[in-house]
């Protein structure tokens, strides 16, 4: 439905989006996962028509979006990364302004505002100024403001940054509902948990490049191991960790080692080595690797960097 | 078109939510207009402050001093207190020694006092030896009262000033030369304008340079040629400072000047709100909708012009109430001039936003430029009081041309055709500045 072909965007010498090609299918929730500065927001703004790509093309149902046609804009809704609302005005006033800019008016606009406010549980705060809202409430309003005109594709640029867990959950449930109802969603985030929970397909971006694309299982299958073994990082385990290093990927974070065995390395060999270092089996836990591991594997960097 | 209208309404909603902006646009200029109206003495007869308690001590028996006291008593703004009530209920004339204790007491009966000493027209200094005591509640109050006092003195007893000059001349020249000097002038005046040289000389020596006509420029019934002669000279200066008889130009200048200055502040603030909207990411949201960049800019422009027309008209109506500026007869032409002036001010604000990297830089630059333009352009005091070479710069400011437009309508009562040159200049300023602003906006990062 939405197609990006070789899309490139530069800011001076910096290549913010570097030849990205991907296709988003109707009704899917597509995740764009990458750390800060990866080029997610730039990609979103290119799709939304706020910027013109230096190279490549973007098309919706076969029609180029770059030309900036008004009717194509109506098919898209953008949730900006920052809370883009008039804080000195009420929620209702904000929604009226943005609804009117999309050409809505009268009873229809009023009905959609009511519906939008109800959907994110802001009905009883509708007349309050946005500046009196909590971060989570403002985020929820920021989200529905992009939906008043009923776009076919919703572009959500990190819509949960700085949000309390409760609001985050409310946003997720709302997006899941929209997705079930058939809305196509592009969701950018640097939280792998969010991408894992919400998105049917995920693109991993870093330094403007698309490194991998697929379902969660497809992405995990790219890892040369199926298990990830954790054990404490301390003086006792240090010699063992050093001995383990040649046999796979070893990373250390928050007083814990995480070991991802190379394909040829057998678990029996692992435990034999542990025993020879006098380490009991209860020190080790194993789990399915996460997108974090995929990202690390693909880029050599951690998502949180 | 519709997005412009939506954005415009949004700007007005934001404006009226912002108490600081509303007060900067309407209330602050109103207060300035009111105060400066008082200071320059353009208050209408039936309005303005009345009955400010003013203690007056007349320590001498100078006839002009008595005249000044009478004039102050006649002045509605003051309630003159010249007697002291003894504890037993009897009264005596107020003395200078009474003033301080009374003024320092809690619940002081008066907070301003004027002392006319015995040597009122002393030879020791130029000017009058008036002493003003005050215990003001604030600076502005002192200025207001001083302004009203000055006005009363200048308009009612300019003779005192003439006398003071004469006393100094006498001391400086010596009696004999002084007589000869005045005699010479009297002869010359008599030759040039007719009249009795001896009478003219007496008038000059008493300091009466046609003072009768001074406070009453319209009443030229005075047959004394000396009086007419000096009245004409003095009047030229007095038009600007005192303005008692020239209500409309002074009042128009004050209203127009302060209104334009604060309009410039308001519109620069509105233009710099572009930065705030950008920083909040709101342009991303607006531009993701079917709205163009130029629609955003033109909505700001339309907003500025409408707000400007509204503000100027409100303040001129306030001027109507305060000073009796005749607004009604000229409403349509005034609206047109206001629209052009507002457009010029708006374009100024837009250019400011277009050339500044951020809101802070823009408001700093705005404050500096607006103060400069306002003082140069004559918003604070009449430009005729400035040195001539500075007056030439006045014409480079939109403040000057806006004020020219207001006085052309309200004072000179010019027709549409007569207004065209000024409208042309304001329109030209707007076009040129807006073109520059849009050109800059297209290069700036404001929409990125
Ligand atoms: N307006 C801009 N001008 C110059 N560089 C920018 C601009 N916007 C983003 N960048 C740079 O482009 C890169 C990608 O930024 P962005 O798309 O915001 O990444 P993300 O949303 O993934 O954090 C970053 O290095 C960022 O510093
Ligand atoms: Mg971003």
């Amino acid at each position: 439905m939405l197609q990006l072909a070789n899309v490139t965007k530069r800011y001076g010498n910096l290549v913010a989006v570097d030849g990205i090609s991907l296709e988003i299918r109707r009704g899917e929730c597509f995740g764009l996962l990458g750390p800060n500065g990866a080029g997610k927001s730039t990609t979103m703004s290119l799709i939304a028509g706020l910027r013109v790509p230096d190279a490549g093309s973007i098309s919706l149902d076969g029609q180029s979006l770059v030309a900036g046609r008004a009717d194509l804009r109506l098919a898209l809704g953008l949730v900006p990364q920052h809370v883009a609302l008039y804080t000195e005005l009420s929620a209702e006033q904000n929604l009226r302004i943005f609804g009117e800019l999309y050409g809505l008016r009268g009873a229809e606009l009023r009905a959609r505002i009511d519906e939008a406010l109800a959907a994110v549980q802001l009905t009883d705060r509708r007349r309050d100024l946005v500046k009196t809202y909590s971060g989570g409430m403002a985020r929820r309003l920021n989200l529905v403001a992009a939906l008043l005109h009923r776009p076919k594709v919703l572009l959500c640029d990190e819509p949960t940054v700085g949000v309390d867990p409760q609001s985050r959950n409310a946003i997720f449930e709302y997006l899941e509902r929209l997705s079930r109802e058939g809305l196509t969603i592009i969701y950018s985030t640097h939280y792998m948990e969010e991408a894992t929970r919400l998105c049917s397909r995920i693109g991993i971006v870093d330094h403007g490049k698309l490194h991998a694309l697929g379902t969660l299982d497809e992405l995990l299958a790219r890892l040369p191991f199926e298990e990830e073994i954790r054990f404490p990082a301390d003086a006792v385990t240090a010699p063992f960790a050093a001995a383990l290093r040649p046999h796979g990927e070893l990373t250390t974070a928050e007083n814990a080692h995480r070991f991802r065995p190379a394909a040829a390395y057998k678990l029996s060999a692992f435990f034999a080595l542990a025993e020879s270092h006098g380490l009991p089996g209860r020190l080790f836990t194993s789990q399915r690797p996460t997108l974090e591991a995929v990202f690390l594997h693909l880029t050599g960097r951690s998502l949180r960097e | 078109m519709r997005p412009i209208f939506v954005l415009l309404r949004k700007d007005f909603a934001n404006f009226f939510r912002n108490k600081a902006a509303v007060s900067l646009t309407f209330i602050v200029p109103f207060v300035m207009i009111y105060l400066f109206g008082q200071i320059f003495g353009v208050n209408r007869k039936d309005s303005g402050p009345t009955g400010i308690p003013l203690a007056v001590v007349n320590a001498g028996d100078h006839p002009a001093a008595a005249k000044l006291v009478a004039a102050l008593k006649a002045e509605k703004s003051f309630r003159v207190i010249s007697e002291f009530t003894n504890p037993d209920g009897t009264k005596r004339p107020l003395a200078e020694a009474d003033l301080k204790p009374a003024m320092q007491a809690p619940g002081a009966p008066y907070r301003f006092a004027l002392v006319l000493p015995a040597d009122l027209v002393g030879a020791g200094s130029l000017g009058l030896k008036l002493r003003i005591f005050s215990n003001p509640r604030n600076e502005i109050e002192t200025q207001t009262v001083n302004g009203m006092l000055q006005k009363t003195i200048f308009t009612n007893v300019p003779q005192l000033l003439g006398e003071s000059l004469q006393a100094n001349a006498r001391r400086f020249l010596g009696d004999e030369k002084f007589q000869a000097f005045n005699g010479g002038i009297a002869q010359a005046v008599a030759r040039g304008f007719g009249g009795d040289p001896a009478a003219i000389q007496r008038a000059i020596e008493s300091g009466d340079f046609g003072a009768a006509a001074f406070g009453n420029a319209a009443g030229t019934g005075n047959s004394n040629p000396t009086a007419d002669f000096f009245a004409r000279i003095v009047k030229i200066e007095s038009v600007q400072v005192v303005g008692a008889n020239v209500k409309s130009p002074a009042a128009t200048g004050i209203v127009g000047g302060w209104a334009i200055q604060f309009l410039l502040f308001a519109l620069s603030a509105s233009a710099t709100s572009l930065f705030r909207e950008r920083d909040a990411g709101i342009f991303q949201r607006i531009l993701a909708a079917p709205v163009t960049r130029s629609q955003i800019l033109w909505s700001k422009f339309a907003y500025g012009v409408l707000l400007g027309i509204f503000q100027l008209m409100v303040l001129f109506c306030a001027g109507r109430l305060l000073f009796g500026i005749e607004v009604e007869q000229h409403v349509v032409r005034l609206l047109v001039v206001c629209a052009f002036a507002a457009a010029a001010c708006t374009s100024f604000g837009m250019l400011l936003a277009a050339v500044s990297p951020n809101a802070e830089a823009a408001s700093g630059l705005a404050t500096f430029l607006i103060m400069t333009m306002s003082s140069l352009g004559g918003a604070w005091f009449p430009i005729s009081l400035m040195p001539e070479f500075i007056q030439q710069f006045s014409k480079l400011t939109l403040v000057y041309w806006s004020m020219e437009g207001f006085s052309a309508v309200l004072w000179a009562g010019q027709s549409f055709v007569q207004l065209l040159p000024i409208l042309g200049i304001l329109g030209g300023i707007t076009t040129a500045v807006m073109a520059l602003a849009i050109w800059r906006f297209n290069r700036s990062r404001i929409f990125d």
Side-chain angles (χ1 to χ4, degrees):
Chain A
M1 154 181 227
L2 184 72
Q3 203 140 22
L4 277 70
N6 247 318
V7 173
T8 298
K9 177 71 193 175
R10 290 184 196 89
Y11 298 115
N13 286 331
L14 179 93
V15 187
V17 175
D18 193 355
I20 287 188
S21 299
L22 54 84
E23 162 143 33
I24 283 138
R25 300 171 194 154
R26 191 176 306 277
E28 79 172 332
C29 180
F30 183 88
L32 214 47
L33 179 69
N36 281 329
K40 304 183 295 295
S41 294
T42 304
T43 306
M44 291 291 202
S45 71
L46 290 169
I47 299 173
L50 303 181
R51 294 191 173 90
V52 181
D54 295 312
S57 66
I58 303 171
S59 55
L60 180 69
D61 292 330
Q63 291 184 298
S64 171
L65 272 178
V66 176
R69 276 176 36 197
D71 55 333
L72 294 181
R73 292 243 176 134
L74 289 175
L76 303 173
L78 173 69
V79 182
Q81 181 174 353
H82 301 284
V83 175
L85 299 167
Y86 293 103
T87 54
E88 299 292 327
L89 302 181
S90 69
E92 204 171 355
Q93 282 176 305
N94 270 283
L95 292 181
R96 180 162 310 129
I97 290 164
F98 296 120
E100 283 176 344
L101 288 179
Y102 278 98
L104 298 170
R105 61 180 83 186
E108 188 187 17
L109 176 59
R110 276 197 300 279
R112 293 213 188 165
I113 289 174
D114 292 344
E115 187 187 320
L117 288 168
V120 288
Q121 295 98 46
L122 288 172
T123 304
D124 52 338
R125 296 291 305 268
R126 60 191 298 161
R127 288 190 218 290
D128 295 347
L129 304 191
V130 173
K131 68 175 175 189
T132 67
Y133 280 20
S134 71
M137 291 165 70
R139 281 279 169 192
R140 269 140 58 194
L141 187 61
N142 197 43
L143 173 64
V144 285
L147 285 164
L148 288 170
H149 63 289
R150 305 220 168 116
K152 287 193 236 162
V153 182
L154 182 67
L155 308 168
C156 286
D157 195 3
E158 308 211 33
T160 63
V161 172
V163 160
D164 57 283
Q166 197 188 337
S167 281
R168 176 187 292 229
N169 219 39
I171 289 175
F172 280 1
E173 277 168 15
Y174 184 50
L175 286 174
E176 281 163 348
R177 196 183 101 200
L178 291 168
S179 185
R180 274 197 307 276
E181 287 167 8
L183 180 68
T184 308
I185 299 173
I186 306 179
Y187 188 101
S188 90
T189 180
H190 66 273
Y191 296 118
M192 57 146 190
E193 302 86 352
E194 292 192 347
T196 311
R197 169 169 172 187
L198 278 178
C199 304
S200 44
R201 284 196 312 148
I202 296 161
I204 290 179
V205 286
D206 190 32
H207 293 308
K209 282 203 168 68
L210 183 67
H211 286 269
L213 192 156
T215 62
L216 182 62
D217 286 335
E218 283 164 1
L219 290 172
L220 291 175
R222 298 178 70 131
L223 290 169
F225 49 84
E226 288 175 358
E227 304 271 0
E228 190 176 67
I229 303 165
R230 290 186 187 218
F231 56 96
D234 54 32
V236 180
T237 60
F240 172 65
L244 208 52
R245 212 170 276 279
H247 305 295
E249 282 179 35
L250 184 79
T251 53
T252 312
E254 294 151 18
N255 298 324
H257 290 300
R258 290 204 266 168
F259 178 67
R260 290 169 284 274
Y265 194 60
K266 294 268 183 322
L267 268 185
S268 53
F270 175 90
F271 283 108
L273 188 64
E275 213 169 349
S276 73
H277 281 83
L279 300 175
R282 61 179 164 76
L283 284 182
F284 303 97
T285 53
S286 87
Q287 59 181 208
R288 203 175 174 226
T290 60
L291 280 175
E292 173 75 39
V294 178
F295 188 83
L296 190 76
H297 177 72
L298 290 172
T299 67
R301 304 201 304 139
S302 158
L303 259 176
R304 284 171 230 291
E305 266 168 30
Chain B
M1 262 323 268
R2 190 173 156 75
I4 293 185
F5 177 70
V6 174
L7 294 172
L8 183 70
R9 235 186 27 207
K10 170 265 301 176
D11 277 332
F12 272 105
N14 263 320
F15 174 78
F16 286 109
R17 273 286 159 80
N18 186 341
K19 291 195 184 66
V22 172
S23 98
L24 184 73
T25 311
F26 294 103
I27 297 169
V28 177
F30 178 83
V31 170
M32 297 309 282
I33 287 165
Y34 178 76
L35 288 176
F36 273 70
Q38 299 309 322
I39 290 166
F40 286 100
V42 291
N43 57 313
R44 243 177 138 192
K45 282 189 191 65
D46 58 354
S47 69
T50 52
I52 296 174
L54 175 74
V56 176
V57 175
N58 187 359
D61 53 359
H62 199 286
K67 201 176 157 200
L68 174 58
V69 175
L72 286 169
K73 282 185 172 158
E75 180 66 49
K76 267 189 66 222
S77 322
F78 295 116
R79 185 166 57 77
V80 171
I81 300 165
S82 56
E83 284 180 325
F84 184 84
T85 311
N86 291 313
D88 60 6
T90 58
K91 297 189 177 193
R92 63 168 170 78
L94 202 61
E96 189 170 341
D98 302 328
L99 298 178
K100 276 190 186 165
M103 288 170 77
Q104 284 163 354
Y110 44 84
R111 284 179 297 107
F112 295 91
L114 179 68
V115 176
L116 309 166
D119 57 341
L120 182 64
V121 199
S125 66
L126 200 63
L128 297 173
K129 284 180 139 183
L130 296 174
R131 275 197 295 279
I132 296 172
F133 290 71
S134 62
N135 177 16
R137 278 181 288 229
N138 57 54
E139 185 85 2
I140 288 170
E141 190 183 46
T142 317
Q143 283 186 14
T144 311
V145 171
N146 280 346
M148 288 192 294
L149 266 177
Q150 271 180 32
K151 183 202 121 189
T152 311
I153 294 167
F154 286 150
T155 52
N156 290 289
V157 279
Q159 184 190 356
L160 284 172
L161 291 174
E163 207 173 315
S164 157
L165 282 174
Q166 287 282 309
N168 277 289
R170 188 188 295 268
R171 186 177 62 92
F172 189 68
L173 295 171
D175 230 17
E176 200 175 314
K177 274 194 192 154
F178 177 70
Q179 293 282 343
F181 178 74
N182 278 341
I185 291 182
Q187 292 288 348
V189 171
R191 244 183 281 123
F193 296 88
D196 171 19
I200 294 172
Q201 185 168 351
R202 271 198 308 282
I204 293 175
E205 274 165 23
S206 74
D208 180 5
F209 301 118
F214 184 91
N216 181 19
T220 44
N222 198 326
S223 60
N224 184 340
T226 329
D228 276 353
F229 175 68
F230 283 109
R232 251 177 264 133
I233 294 176
V234 175
K235 213 166 56 183
I236 294 167
E237 302 295 338
S238 74
V239 168
Q240 308 300 338
V241 192
V242 180
N245 321 299
V246 283
K247 204 155 64 180
S248 266
T252 305
I254 289 168
V255 175
W258 289 105
I260 280 287
Q261 180 179 341
F262 283 91
L263 182 59
L264 279 167
F265 276 121
L267 295 181
S268 307
S270 118
T272 51
S273 74
L274 285 169
F275 290 108
R276 249 176 297 123
E277 289 178 70
R278 174 196 67 179
D279 294 342
I282 284 178
F283 288 147
Q284 293 181 20
R285 173 152 262 153
I286 294 177
L287 289 170
V291 179
T292 64
R293 293 173 175 207
S294 41
Q295 281 172 329
I296 294 181
L297 290 179
W298 286 114
S299 77
K300 281 276 175 214
F301 182 78
Y303 162 74
V305 174
L306 288 180
L307 179 67
I309 294 174
F310 183 43
Q311 185 241 29
L312 290 170
M313 291 307 284
V314 165
L315 291 175
F316 276 115
C317 289
R320 161 92 183 74
L321 295 176
L322 288 177
F323 311 127
I325 293 177
E326 289 160 351
V327 174
E328 305 92 301
Q329 299 95 307
H330 313 294
V331 165
V332 177
R333 272 165 299 152
L334 184 61
L335 264 173
V336 173
V337 172
C338 287
F340 275 74
C345 291
T346 308
S347 64
F348 167 81
M350 302 283 285
L351 180 61
L352 215 60
V355 300
S356 303
N358 54 48
E360 290 69 36
S363 35
L365 193 60
T367 307
F368 171 73
L369 287 178
I370 292 171
M371 298 299 229
T372 310
M373 287 206 300
S374 301
S375 56
L376 276 184
W380 296 354
F381 40 79
I383 59 162
S384 49
L385 296 183
M386 297 181 220
E388 207 153 308
F389 82 96
I390 291 184
Q391 289 187 28
Q392 304 188 332
F393 293 103
S394 304
K395 298 196 176 143
L396 297 176
T397 67
L398 62 89
V399 174
Y400 173 86
W401 290 108
S402 303
M403 292 180 65
E404 283 290 290
F406 299 143
S407 65
V409 171
L410 293 175
W411 172 235
Q414 289 187 358
S415 67
F416 264 119
V417 176
Q418 288 170 307
L419 284 174
L420 284 179
I422 292 176
L423 295 183
I425 288 170
L426 286 172
I429 293 176
T430 308
T431 312
V433 175
M434 267 316 274
L436 206 58
I438 289 174
W439 177 75
R440 283 287 317 181
F441 270 126
N442 282 333
R443 264 153 197 73
S444 81
R445 282 270 198 76
I446 194 115
F447 294 122
D448 264 5

